[in-house]
Amino acid sequence: MKIVVLGADGYLGWPLSLRLLRRGHRVVGVDNLATRRAVEEVGSDSALPISSPQERERAAKELGDFKFVFGDVTDYQFVKELISSEKPDAVVHFAEQRSAPYSMKDVEHAVYTMHNNLEGTLNLIYAVKEAKPDVHVVKMGTMGEYGTPNFDIPESAFVEVEIKGRRDRIPTPKFAGSWYHWTKVYDTYNMLFANKIWGLTFTDIMQGPVYGTRTEEIVSERFFTRFDFDEVWGTVVNRYCVEAVLGLPLTPYGKGGQTRGFLSLEDSVEALRILIENPPEMGSYRHVNQFVELRSVREIASFVQDAGKELGLDVKVQHVPNPRVEAEEHYYNPELKVLPNLGFRPRKSMREEVKVMLKDLLPFKERISRFSSVIMPRTRWK
Ligand code: NAD
Ligand code: USQ
């Protein structure tokens, strides 16, 4: 297949591009390098050194047919020209502002996030409709679209409800927890609408937080993917591993009962590979929940503590006041059936993988320690 990966310079986009190349697909990687700039803006950097896009292009070409295109998905003419000239079978859309704290900083960051994410997805929808309506759009959404409801989360875009005695099928209720997470809800509605009126083909993925340093293709420094750990861009498991390496206490926010559906980088890339190679029926909208382990942030701290002990690190845990507005103890039971039905079997467990992560990060302790001032949470929801 020929696959366009929007956001190919990112944490997920780069390793997915490598996986697709190794499977024999042709890959066009697109990025405007926004994340590199935004991480610098908050005074941080990737914990693992990453190559320039030019060096990445050279390295990826060793695995297969790859080219890197610099471009911004909020530019409609660029996206339309890309789809018209490349004529891909599938487009994977990762190219969004993906940090909840970044979106909550102030009005400028909230508006940037809304504009970047909604406009990019809408441009892609129109470009596909105009230039190649049979493209399979694989869009990365988030489990955070649902929030943490007190009902079992269905793996479905619609639910049957009865309101005042009358029944109907309505979009699954969602209640996101940051401006960033809300952009994914709105993207979902826009794709449902585009599917309804034009019959475009979508896979909309509700993915939980991803952790890890490795995939099968990341075998040396040249293939490293970015690894963020600061209070704005770092996600919880990755942050804990850096904190452990630096000898800082792990930082569960508040009571620490916040539970999410986590998965390793390797499992994320493999799940995506399966969804791309097994598209839904042409003209349909497929809704997928993508996670492996339901864990609370308190429980994860104990995993990292245990892994640290095995490596001779003295890891402490210190609950810190929660900078976010979110439930700290809650029910959480999402459904998971599409990926297992397609043959997806997790390859990694968090308990094991955090050991690998600590080993990968330890040689970069000095590099990371330059950024220890941006680890404690400062960005508050209110
Ligand atoms: P990332 O920030 O590392 O990657 C996103 C890439 O898109 C970056 O390289 C960035 O420069 C690029 N980009 C952003 N706006 C762009 C634009 N307007 N034009 C072109 N390129 C643009 O993030 P990631 O962790 O790789 O996440 C990829 C996608 O998966 C995101 O949509 C994110 O919301 C989603 N997601 C991530 C996780 C996770 O834990 N990392 C979990 C669930 C969903
Ligand atoms: N948390 C801590 N301690 C920390 C950091 C975070 O307790 O040091 C808590 C947060 O308060 C939250 C949970 O961990 O309850 C998850 O936070 P996170 O920063 O790991 O992840 P989140 O902000 O939800 O966002 C990440 C990605 C985003 C993706 C989302 C999937 O950045 O792109 O959409 O995970 S999900 O969480 O399922 O919505």
Side-chain angles (χ1 to χ4, degrees):
M1 284 188 202
K2 185 173 196 183
I3 300 154
V4 167
V5 177
L6 305 173
D9 191 53
Y11 179 55
L12 305 178
W14 170 242
L16 177 66
S17 300
L18 299 178
R19 173 65 43 91
L20 295 174
L21 289 169
R22 233 184 86 224
R23 292 283 298 177
H25 301 296
R26 288 182 291 160
V27 177
V28 179
V30 176
D31 211 290
N32 69 348
L33 310 186
T35 298
R36 291 191 191 228
R37 288 191 298 276
V39 172
E40 208 179 296
E41 176 195 327
V42 303
S44 191
D45 197 354
S46 167
L48 301 175
I50 52 170
S51 308
S52 67
Q54 295 73 19
E55 284 163 27
R56 283 188 154 177
E57 187 176 58
R58 274 194 292 278
K61 278 190 160 137
E62 290 167 21
L63 299 185
D65 185 346
F66 179 82
K67 84 171 157 188
F68 181 80
V69 178
F70 181 85
D72 190 326
V73 297
T74 64
D75 174 351
Y76 179 64
Q77 287 315 320
F78 167 74
V79 184
K80 169 114 184 278
E81 178 53 31
L82 178 79
I83 305 299
S84 312
S85 58
E86 297 296 345
K87 299 189 175 44
D89 300 291
V91 177
V92 181
H93 183 21
F94 286 144
E96 296 200 331
Q97 191 297 91
R98 76 111 182 103
S99 157
Y102 192 79
S103 76
M104 298 299 292
K105 278 189 167 298
D106 53 28
V107 65
E108 280 81 20
H109 290 80
V111 169
Y112 163 73
T113 304
M114 288 283 163
H115 157 82
N116 190 61
N117 295 5
L118 270 66
E119 208 168 309
T121 299
L122 205 48
N123 283 343
L124 176 62
I125 289 172
Y126 264 89
V128 165
K129 174 200 171 250
E130 296 295 328
K132 197 168 180 290
D134 65 352
V135 170
H136 174 204
V137 175
V138 179
K139 165 66 171 51
M140 187 50 88
T142 175
M143 282 299 292
E145 291 185 32
Y146 302 112
T148 53
N150 199 31
F151 55 79
D152 294 345
I153 296 172
E155 192 174 17
S156 165
F158 291 94
V159 285
E160 283 266 327
V161 293
E162 185 176 312
I163 299 175
K164 295 192 175 165
R166 298 188 67 84
R167 297 193 68 80
D168 205 349
R169 212 169 144 256
I170 60 164
T172 303
K174 302 202 161 166
F175 209 99
S178 74
W179 298 126
Y180 153 74
H181 287 94
W182 277 109
T183 67
K184 301 285 190 179
V185 177
Y186 305 143
D187 280 343
T188 288
Y189 292 149
N190 290 347
M191 286 184 284
L192 281 172
F193 185 61
N195 169 260
K196 177 179 168 176
I197 58 175
W198 298 322
L200 302 184
T201 309
F202 294 100
T203 295
D204 190 5
I205 306 168
M206 309 297 121
Q207 181 175 247
V210 181
Y211 61 90
T213 47
R214 296 254 165 191
T215 61
E216 279 177 6
E217 292 76 18
I218 302 179
V219 288
S220 64
E221 219 173 293
R222 299 174 67 214
F223 292 102
F224 275 173
T225 194
R226 59 173 315 108
F227 189 95
D228 295 299
F229 59 93
D230 60 78
E231 56 108 16
V232 175
W233 288 93
T235 52
V236 62
V237 189
N238 292 0
R239 277 170 56 72
Y240 284 175
C241 289
V242 162
E243 289 165 349
V245 163
L246 293 183
L248 299 170
L250 312 187
T251 52
Y253 294 164
K255 293 182 190 148
Q258 300 93 313
T259 301
R260 303 286 183 269
F262 292 88
L263 73 170
S264 70
L265 188 59
E266 169 61 33
D267 284 333
S268 171
V269 162
E270 187 55 13
L272 287 159
R273 197 267 306 156
I274 290 173
L275 293 169
I276 294 163
E277 292 182 359
N278 298 278
E281 203 178 306
M282 183 74 63
S284 63
Y285 168 98
R286 174 171 64 178
H287 189 90
V288 181
N289 288 350
Q290 184 163 304
F291 62 89
V292 168
E293 287 175 71
L294 300 180
R295 300 284 179 202
S296 73
V297 300
R298 195 167 49 211
E299 201 179 6
I300 298 167
S302 72
F303 291 173
V304 175
Q305 203 168 26
D306 292 348
K309 204 179 278 173
E310 282 185 41
L311 298 174
L313 301 171
D314 179 22
V315 182
K316 303 236 173 347
V317 178
Q318 191 178 4
H319 288 247
V320 297
N322 196 338
R324 305 185 184 198
V325 175
E326 62 182 359
E328 294 177 2
E329 303 284 359
H330 56 88
Y331 183 77
Y332 199 62
N333 188 25
E335 185 178 22
L336 185 68
K337 58 174 196 279
V338 177
L339 277 164
N341 286 344
L342 288 171
F344 170 74
R345 299 287 175 270
R347 296 173 171 181
K348 304 285 177 186
S349 77
M350 192 187 288
R351 255 193 184 285
E352 288 306 312
E353 197 59 10
V354 291
K355 271 182 246 168
V356 175
M357 292 164 70
L358 292 176
K359 283 188 198 151
D360 280 344
L361 289 163
L362 275 165
F364 298 97
K365 182 174 173 177
E366 211 177 289
R367 171 189 167 88
I368 308 168
S369 62
R370 288 188 281 140
F371 303 101
S372 45
S373 65
V374 290
I375 290 182
M376 286 307 277
R378 273 188 303 208
T379 307
R380 297 183 199 291
W381 267 221
K382 60 176 185 184

